[in-house]
Amino acid sequence: MDEPSPTSDPASPTNQFGSLNDLAHELASLEDLASRGSWRSIVDKVSRARSLNLLTRPHDHLIYLSYNVLALSKLRRFADASNEINTLDDFNSHYYKYETYPQLYPNRSGSMIPFSLRFIHAQLPLKLGNRQEGLDRFYLLLKFIREKIKEKESNNLHDSVGIWKRRENFVLNCLIGHHLGDKEFSLCLDLIKDLINRDYLDPVLVSKLGHIQMQIGDIEGAKGSFNRVETMLNERKNDEYSFLSEVQFRNLVNRNKALVYLVGKDYVSAVREYEECIERDHTDVVALNNKALCLMYLRDLSDSIKVLEKALERIPTIALDETLVINLCSMYELAYVNHSEIKRTLNNWIIHVAPDDFDASCTRV
Amino acid sequence: MSSAPQGTHSLAFRVMRLCKPSFHVDPPFRLDLADLCVGEDVFDDPLAAANLPPLLSTQLSKSTDSSDLTYGNRFLLHHPSDAMGFSGLLLLPQSFGAIYLGETFCSYISINNNSNFEVRDIIIKAEIQTERQRILLLDTTKSPVESIRAGGRYDFIVEHDVKELGAHTLICTALYVDNDGERKYLPQFFKFAVANPLSVRTKVRTVKETTYLEACIENHTKTNLYMDQVEFEPAPHWSATVLKADELHPADNSSTREVFKAPILIRSGGGIHNYLYQLKLASPDSAQMKVEGTNILGKLQITWRTNLGEPGRLQTQQILGTPISRKEIELQILEIPSLINLDKSFLVHLNLTNHTDRELGPFEVWLSQNSVHGEKNVVINGFQTMVLPQVGAFGSSDFHLNLIATKLGVQKISGITVSDTREKKTFDPLADVEIFVESD
């Protein structure tokens, strides 16, 4: 049951930030559904909250709208998500500013639009096949973010500067992903170069650069990038790159090594590197998936199938990934003349275990 | 992939092209909690800035705890680069794709026993049939597979360097003894076509003793081509240097320069890249060089890479320079004075070389009157014809022509002609040379 907002002193932090429910009406429940991948339930919950007029404050409406738009996007209902966003005025409208409601948000100013709405607004056209519109929106968003950073800097709002810089980094990474998907490799390299120049130099990013170089075929360039990552591991000081645990960092380096072997067709060595990763971290899905592929290239189709099946069995919530499932189905199609039955079994299992946003068409059943 | 006709065979071939896998890329809808649960400017408020991060990070840990049945990782970001949707997960080739000359065709072949009985003594063969030949890739005749149990499989991988264009057929055959003791023969055919990945257009220009070769490579494939190596292999007695433009971004931050040099990538479907080579004859005096007819410069060796370093290799045909015609006599200008004044005579230093193996001459040198360019503004000062004595076999002779310019500005010395008075042979005049005439 929902509760009315607390009437005690709004300036007291524990009243405003004690739990998720302080941020928005029943936010904890929304968040819980989201982390279970129950996007259909989120759509229902939002619809119910609206029809029962449970959302009393402007920011509640916006946050619920954001979750709804996200859920529709996750369910691949991109047109519906788009229509939902279009029910809003211009994002920069005064309706969505804290200062427009001084009684509700005393001492607070600025935009209450959750940033994710801007991001989803930019990405949706790309998912709907309107590439140019989507890219234009992303680049405009980047410009918007950079203006915000300047504005916050000139007002000495250091925490906000940090948040907006993270958003800038985020949008640049999205752009790299989209250009990479369209095989615009030179542009990707330029964008990563841009990120590195802004001191976003980190081993995960440099590894991805190496992967892009590998994708292009610039093997020597990739090796150079991977060597750089290994140097970062060996030379790092105590709290450098703290977002990566020791295990994650070492696995990153091993996976990079494995890739170099794989590209050189030394699949035996690649398997060995991946096995080191899996031994250190049995949830390293990339190592598991790629090891299976190497086994197949070593003519060992049976074992490659076993590796993928075991991964799904033992760590389903991590291993359940569309790419891994596509690989497994390709292997089934090769191994069995009558593969429909085994694929159907897989499909049935997936339906029971998978989150709402899992694209089950990948089994090609 | 294709399967055997129903009911007639216990065995069936399953085939999958095994080119390199590719990275899966799909930018996801994955977010940071602070971008979803609160307004974008909320961190301007110092209270929020202090209290939100711990709240959100606790929630993040909860939502992505792998020991719980949670799919938080599918919608929350761990690392900013997760937004790229490029995790390093490899994807098996999903279709046969296009195959090009110079690449290597690789295939996984699985022979399945989809009957309920064992089959024995299986002789498996895999061949490639092209327009011109039949190439054997695999043959187990000498050591047949003893048996394949019901539901069992025998796998192999074949590779073939593609050296011909056009239709190719992968022929897989199995000769086996089935459960009834009958000898059966199963042929299966998988067709594919090989296309040309590139075309190379060349242009040759000769300037004095240097030949320049410009090669333009055009990409006809559906993917970008990474030019791994493009090397010119000169013909004997020639040497080649590649000419490159200077680095375009000298102001680069040194950390990025370390990270990578810009690769040469030729865009798919019609992209081009040009290469320029400077060629010189290794020993210009060698008489063997002056062979009439074609002038072979050399070949271009091209190695490219596509997805995940998949290599391809091609060599061009011999590239020809401008044909050398047999020249008995060669006349060349060695030196012209740098300062030429109006109406003041000047000396031009010339050389006459006899490329034959016999004595030639005596010669006469003059400026021919058939001027295509209107009236002549540079004429011989003094006797209009210069007489030169004989020149011995493979010898040469230096001389000077006394000229005078009658007009200012850019003028041409044109029509310097030499003729052999004994053999009564007049050679083609020298090409026009430009000079600049200044006033006193």
Side-chain angles (χ1 to χ4, degrees), chain A residues 21 261 341:
Chain A
N21 287 336
Y261 284 126
E341 207 177 302

PDB file of all heavy atoms in Angstrom, chain A residues 21 261 341:
ATOM      1  N   ASN A  21      12.370   3.795  -1.806  1.00  0.00           N
ATOM      2  CA  ASN A  21      10.995   4.285  -1.767  1.00  0.00           C
ATOM      3  C   ASN A  21      10.908   5.762  -1.415  1.00  0.00           C
ATOM      4  O   ASN A  21       9.877   6.388  -1.656  1.00  0.00           O
ATOM      5  CB  ASN A  21      10.162   3.455  -0.784  1.00  0.00           C
ATOM      6  CG  ASN A  21       9.876   2.064  -1.354  1.00  0.00           C
ATOM      7  OD1 ASN A  21       9.902   1.882  -2.564  1.00  0.00           O
ATOM      8  ND2 ASN A  21       9.631   1.105  -0.470  1.00  0.00           N
ATOM      9  N   TYR A 261      45.934 -15.899 -29.900  1.00  0.00           N
ATOM     10  CA  TYR A 261      46.170 -17.284 -30.328  1.00  0.00           C
ATOM     11  C   TYR A 261      45.106 -17.726 -31.316  1.00  0.00           C
ATOM     12  O   TYR A 261      45.385 -18.349 -32.340  1.00  0.00           O
ATOM     13  CB  TYR A 261      46.131 -18.233 -29.126  1.00  0.00           C
ATOM     14  CG  TYR A 261      47.368 -18.202 -28.263  1.00  0.00           C
ATOM     15  CD1 TYR A 261      47.275 -17.977 -26.891  1.00  0.00           C
ATOM     16  CD2 TYR A 261      48.637 -18.415 -28.809  1.00  0.00           C
ATOM     17  CE1 TYR A 261      48.398 -17.948 -26.085  1.00  0.00           C
ATOM     18  CE2 TYR A 261      49.765 -18.391 -28.011  1.00  0.00           C
ATOM     19  CZ  TYR A 261      49.648 -18.158 -26.650  1.00  0.00           C
ATOM     20  OH  TYR A 261      50.756 -18.131 -25.856  1.00  0.00           O
ATOM     21  N   GLU A 341      14.379 -31.522 -32.417  1.00  0.00           N
ATOM     22  CA  GLU A 341      13.958 -31.957 -31.093  1.00  0.00           C
ATOM     23  C   GLU A 341      14.842 -31.384 -29.999  1.00  0.00           C
ATOM     24  O   GLU A 341      14.353 -30.877 -28.979  1.00  0.00           O
ATOM     25  CB  GLU A 341      13.987 -33.477 -31.033  1.00  0.00           C
ATOM     26  CG  GLU A 341      13.008 -34.023 -30.017  1.00  0.00           C
ATOM     27  CD  GLU A 341      13.004 -35.529 -30.017  1.00  0.00           C
ATOM     28  OE1 GLU A 341      12.735 -36.101 -31.097  1.00  0.00           O
ATOM     29  OE2 GLU A 341      13.298 -36.119 -28.967  1.00  0.00           O
TER      30      GLU A 341
END
